[in-house]
Amino acid sequence: MERIAEKVWKLNVDSNIYFLDLNEKIIIDAGPPGTRNLVEKELSKVVDLSKVDRVIFTHLHYDHIANFDLFPNA
């Protein structure tokens, strides 16, 4: 995880995943298949995954949506 601005983090796992800690906790893109464990481990360092409010997909290619179910309350 790389903090790129106040309240904004980026994880690069072949495609970029962003976490925004604003009024809501937002994930932008969920990453490709095969990266699930890494995505879960790295995002958990900055947010409780069950507390993510919203997941936004930039588009619906598999490498951007595969791990959507890591955020059960979004």
Side-chain angles (χ1 to χ4, degrees):
M1 291 297 303
E2 173 187 4
R3 186 174 178 179
I4 60 173
E6 185 177 349
K7 300 185 179 190
V8 180
W9 289 261
K10 175 180 146 183
L11 175 61
N12 186 324
V13 286
D14 190 36
S15 62
N16 291 320
I17 299 171
Y18 294 91
F19 168 59
L20 290 72
D21 191 3
L22 306 172
N23 292 333
E24 292 184 307
K25 296 183 181 321
I26 300 169
I27 298 292
I28 301 176
D29 288 336
T35 63
R36 181 182 188 84
N37 291 339
L38 179 60
V39 169
E40 185 173 24
K41 176 185 170 191
E42 292 300 313
L43 285 175
S44 293
K45 292 177 181 178
V46 295
V47 65
D48 177 343
L49 302 184
S50 69
K51 305 265 187 207
V52 171
D53 299 300
R54 186 176 308 271
V55 177
I56 299 171
F57 301 121
T58 57
H59 60 283
L60 298 178
H61 289 164
Y62 75 97
D63 59 330
H64 291 259
I65 66 170
N67 299 307
F68 72 92
D69 59 333
L70 287 173
F71 317 102
N73 297 315

